[in-house]
Amino acid sequence: METGIHFEDNVVHTDNQMRRARCWFPCVDDNNQWCCFDLEFTVAHNLVAVSNGSLLYQVLSKDDPPRKTYVYRLDVPVTAQWISLVVGPFEILPDQHNSLISHMCLPPNLPKLRHTVEFFHTAFSEYEHYLDAKFPFGTYKQVFLAPEMAISSSTFGASLCILTSQVLFDEKVIDQTIDTCIKLAFALSRQWFGVYITPEAPNDEWLLDGLAGFLTDLFIKKFLGNNEARYRRYKANCAVCKADDSGATALSSSSSCKDLYGTHSIGLLGKIRSWKSVAILQMLEKQMGPDFFSKILQAIISRAQSTNGAVRSLSTKEFRHFANKIGNLERPFLKEFFPRWLGLYGCPVLRMGFSYNKRKNIIELAVLRGCTVTIDSSVSVLNANPDSENRDGDIGWPGVMTVRVYELDGMSDHPDLPMAGDAWQLLEIACHSKLAARRYQKPKKGSKPDGSDDNGDLPTSDMRSSVDSPLLWIRADPEMEYLAEIHFNQPVQMWINQLEKDEDVVAQAQAITALESLPELSFPVLKALNNFLTDSKAFWRVRIEAAFALASTSSEETDMAGLHHLVKFYKSRRFDTDIGLPKPNDFSDFPEYFVLEAIPHAVAMIRAADGKSPREAVEFILQLLKYNDNNENPYSDVFWLAALVQSVGELEFGQQSIYLFSSLLKRIDRLLQFDRLMPSYNGVLTISCIRTLAQIALKLSGFIHLDHVFELIKPFRDFKTIWQVRIEASKALLDLEFHCNGINAALMLFIKYIEEEPSLRGQVKLGVHAMRLCQIQGGSVSSEDIKATTLVALLQLLESRIAFNNVFFRHYMFCILQVIAGRSPTLYGVPKDKLPCMGNVEVCNEQKSNFGDIVTEMKSPQPPPMDNLNHSNHSHDNLAIPEASKEIDMVSNSHERKTAVVKIRVKKSATASKAEEADNGTAERSEGGERSEGRHRDADRGPTSSVSVDAPQRHSAEAVSISNQNIEEVNSFHDHGSRITASIGSAKIASEGDNFGKELQCTADSGNASVHHQPDDPSSPSTIQDNYIDAEAKKYASLQTLSVSRDDLRGKDEKKSKKKKKKDREKKRKGEEHKGERDDPEYLEKKRLKKEKKQKEKEMAKLLAPSTEPRGKKEGTTSLTEAPGNKQEVGSMNSSEAQKVVIPKTETRAEPTQATSAPKFRIKIKNKTLNKS
């Protein structure tokens, strides 16, 4: 296995990981470099080479054995990251409806491939029709590999997409159909937006991702139905509102894009950003209309395909211009819309309630607007004076929201709710329906004199809404024009009306959620949920929600009515009334199949008063497992059985149901043995059995020996088993180890499994699972929870070749270390405008290092003294550098390094203004003397990276800290010659007659990978800006503080502080004694003689000291080479505000002899004022 390209048996494929194209073919691996490609691949005659562009011809050689050369040409300029190659003994399946499309897979999967891609030509033609353009790359190829070969489920290239055969299915499989169709449609949409149309800058990547998702939603709406599209969009919006709470989800923020570059599309954060991007584009489509929005996309494609000056990059600014010119959206609206939704984070939260005024026949709607990220602001607003105009954390959103009122005489929309301005809003909405006149009745006790009614949520007034008011139900934002979290308060009967009479799936889902959350349940609520569940005309996904709502509302107070409704519904569909047993399986009705498949899981979630599953629920699931018959069914029941087995894992066994436990285990064991003889589709059944056994073992750990379960699951980790089963067994064993022996043992087992796991996807999935285990542990891990050996092993894994070859796994390894430190698992830190300045000494004094406490016992053997570097402190408020002897081993613990070489280049600085302008210093390799050729290209030259951190403050207990930084790409596999750079602003050299400030640029070469490196490229995700310290991160130290004794540093700092205070007191006392003698000539003469004596002593000492080179050469390079065997590196300290002056012209090198040491330096760090940006 090599980086970027992988060899598996007779299959070769690339993975297109970020910044890894350079690792498998020579190229300019930059997102701003486009070019056309002519590609030739010579392979064995029985293999097929698939690459980008159009296949021009094939040439069969006359060699023995013969070889075949495939020649491809890509006429459309693309960046190097979109070049792909796949070689293998593939079966080629031309599309029957479109000759431009080809599908390929390995021979055993050909029947599945033929059935899977039957629909694909419809998506291809639909995109061309919507965008009014032909496919830009001419031909399109899909290659399906074994899932253990690929690094992810889909890898994109120009005119080529590499997918896993795990998504293929035959005519017998039902459950995989929808997910596969959506995945293939999204891969095709990425060809248009992402590969062909590219982002102009990292800030614009959200736009291409959102446009690809928007096209995919169009496909879902047309071919899977409007209900499927709206339901998916509603659930995605709900997830975004819950997770859009940090700067990591600010789509076009320069700081977030800079910190997240390269990782913004990985994991849950990538999904949230993608869903938010699509939601914002759909909001714009609602504002301008679907026709205008389609014209904008057509204009973008047309501009890219133009023969005269084609423009294939797209920026947010250009899209905003299109929205104004083509979409006819006003400039003031766009000026507010884009900065609010893209530059900031957080979604609006609306809390609404209403009262119907019968005398005026109006609705009085009260609205309180908040934001998902201002947790305390809602409290402050609630407690604030309603007349006050100053409300914390409320900046509003552009536009107005529509309120839809359903009355007896019909429905009406009222776009009257402004999303900006006062957080409190009180709207008066006129009703169109009128109640029939009734005979006057004496008002009842407690009613209001004006005849109005509050329509409270009391059970006694639930049915009055249809009698005393013409209102049926009310909805806010019915067309999902806003990405908002809405909490609407209306009577129970109106929610029931909305569930029963509104045909919109979003309205039905909202009604079910509201009814499920009621504190007191009445018979009409249970009846409404049950009626909706049994309604075969309703959308099946919402029916499943009704089933789980019935399960959650089932309790002793309702006499287990929900359980009885669920069991009754299932038996009415699947049981034979004559014998009382399940019928043979019949899955011909797909929506009914999905609903019935979810019923056992819902039943297993029901709990009695003692917190255990009712005996009826356990008996019901056992009966379904026992009498399952799929002989006459043309469809596979593997997912059906898997759902039944997983429902067993959700059960809680009590005294009344424990006697059924052994029968359930026998059924699971029988299914395991059967699946071993006849493997199911993708090992789904075995996976569910392993997962269920682990759940049961953890729930009954007090009665079951977990070692027995461990031995039962361990054989499934055999490498002869399929990839999915092996990974699921590993995850189950990690869970058992975590609950038995704690997080430290689980992490050590995780490291062992990673080293044994050959598949890239398996490594990623194990990394995700280990991160979740660390999140379960919660908080900062103390020295009692995790040992230093485990932490060091994690760091070594992070810098290993395994992590360098697999970018996704390396990201999750970084997230694991972040969670261990008590931080968020992301590269993005807390917004910098909320952080204290690094110049604040009190902040630095409060920094404490949990990692320092953990790893002090792992300190390496005593480092050799570094008497040649003496750092002294000057000025009471300046930042000072701790002694070099204490920070030599902080950067790397690698025992394989060669002799480290430290070069210190000293250059005379000009004025402060000139020093500020020279911000980029040139780094020089210690071996070979090669200079870097620019920051951007040197950012990731092969397996090379570097790290820059701020110089610590004066009283800090840590020598080097990057406490608030999120490091993702700091530990890649390094070859010899990897480089670390450190910049120290304003250094002073203590030599004769030398009193001017100088700049030090330090370069340390290591023979192997260091613990922390960082490229100089600020656009790289590994760029660390430590200008500020996170308030939360004060508690944690950098991972760089390995092998450092904090007590030694603290003790020396205290001694220095005492000596300095003593000197100050003596100086002050002497100054007072000689205050009256300053004008005395005798005193002045003594002072002059004393000064001359000191000068002579200095000159005598200089003559007596042997030297190999004159020290008068102030502009030069001094090489300090450590003795062999010593493991030393100078900690990198780089302040973003430190001024640099680089004059790389004259260099001399002092070769130290046996009798001398290198010159001594006193380094003084001047206090710099940091900008809060």
Side-chain angles (χ1 to χ4, degrees), residues 1013-1034:
H1013 296 300
Q1014 177 183 352
D1016 296 331
D1017 185 6
S1019 65
S1020 173
S1022 60
T1023 301
I1024 302 172
Q1025 297 177 345
D1026 197 19
N1027 302 339
Y1028 302 95
I1029 298 178
D1030 184 1
E1032 180 181 355
K1034 298 174 192 174

Side-chain angles (χ1 to χ4, degrees), residues 202-203 247 250-261 342-344 828 832 1018-1019 1025 1173:
N203 292 9
L251 298 180
S252 191
S253 172
S254 58
S255 59
S256 66
C257 294
K258 186 175 182 180
D259 291 344
L260 291 173
Y261 179 66
L342 301 178
L344 301 177
Y828 185 82
K832 296 185 173 51
S1019 65
Q1025 297 177 345
S1173 59

Side-chain angles (χ1 to χ4, degrees), residues 986-1161:
S986 181
K988 183 172 289 187
I989 297 183
S991 60
E992 181 182 2
D994 188 8
N995 295 323
F996 54 85
K998 295 189 177 180
E999 171 73 14
L1000 295 184
Q1001 173 113 0
C1002 307
T1003 301
D1005 282 15
S1006 61
N1008 202 344
S1010 300
V1011 174
H1012 285 284
H1013 296 300
Q1014 177 183 352
D1016 296 331
D1017 185 6
S1019 65
S1020 173
S1022 60
T1023 301
I1024 302 172
Q1025 297 177 345
D1026 197 19
N1027 302 339
Y1028 302 95
I1029 298 178
D1030 184 1
E1032 180 181 355
K1034 298 174 192 174
K1035 304 176 183 177
Y1036 312 107
S1038 166
L1039 300 178
Q1040 286 184 300
T1041 54
L1042 291 173
S1043 308
V1044 177
S1045 175
R1046 297 177 50 179
D1047 295 334
D1048 295 343
L1049 291 175
R1050 186 183 298 110
K1052 294 207 171 189
D1053 287 342
E1054 291 175 357
K1055 290 180 180 179
K1056 288 183 178 181
S1057 178
K1058 291 181 180 179
K1059 290 182 179 180
K1060 187 176 181 180
K1061 290 181 179 178
K1062 187 176 180 180
K1063 284 184 178 181
D1064 290 341
R1065 287 197 299 267
E1066 291 178 358
K1067 187 176 181 180
K1068 185 176 180 182
R1069 180 179 57 80
K1070 290 181 178 180
E1072 292 175 355
E1073 291 176 356
H1074 299 287
K1075 186 175 182 181
E1077 302 175 355
R1078 290 177 182 173
D1079 298 331
D1080 188 3
E1082 185 178 356
Y1083 170 77
L1084 295 176
E1085 180 66 16
K1086 289 182 179 179
K1087 189 174 181 180
R1088 184 182 65 79
L1089 294 175
K1090 187 176 181 181
K1091 187 176 180 180
E1092 290 178 356
K1093 185 178 180 181
K1094 287 184 178 181
Q1095 186 70 18
K1096 290 181 180 180
E1097 290 176 356
K1098 285 184 180 181
E1099 292 177 357
M1100 184 64 65
K1102 183 178 178 181
L1103 293 173
L1104 292 176
S1107 176
T1108 60
E1109 182 178 350
R1111 298 183 56 178
K1113 297 181 180 180
K1114 297 182 177 56
E1115 292 187 7
T1117 300
T1118 305
S1119 177
L1120 310 177
T1121 307
E1122 65 177 359
N1126 296 341
K1127 302 176 182 179
Q1128 299 179 354
E1129 283 193 26
V1130 175
S1132 301
M1133 292 167 291
N1134 181 23
S1135 174
S1136 62
E1137 293 296 324
Q1139 290 83 8
K1140 302 180 182 179
V1141 176
V1142 179
I1143 312 175
K1145 290 187 177 181
T1146 59
E1147 289 190 7
T1148 57
R1149 179 171 300 180
E1151 299 294 335
T1153 62
Q1154 296 179 355
T1156 68
S1157 61
K1160 297 182 180 181
F1161 297 99

Side-chain angles (χ1 to χ4, degrees), residues 53 159 333 378 421 427 507 511 524 580 740 775 783 842 885 923:
S159 76
F333 172 80
S378 60
L427 306 180
C740 290
Q775 290 174 328
S783 58
E842 296 179 359
S885 61

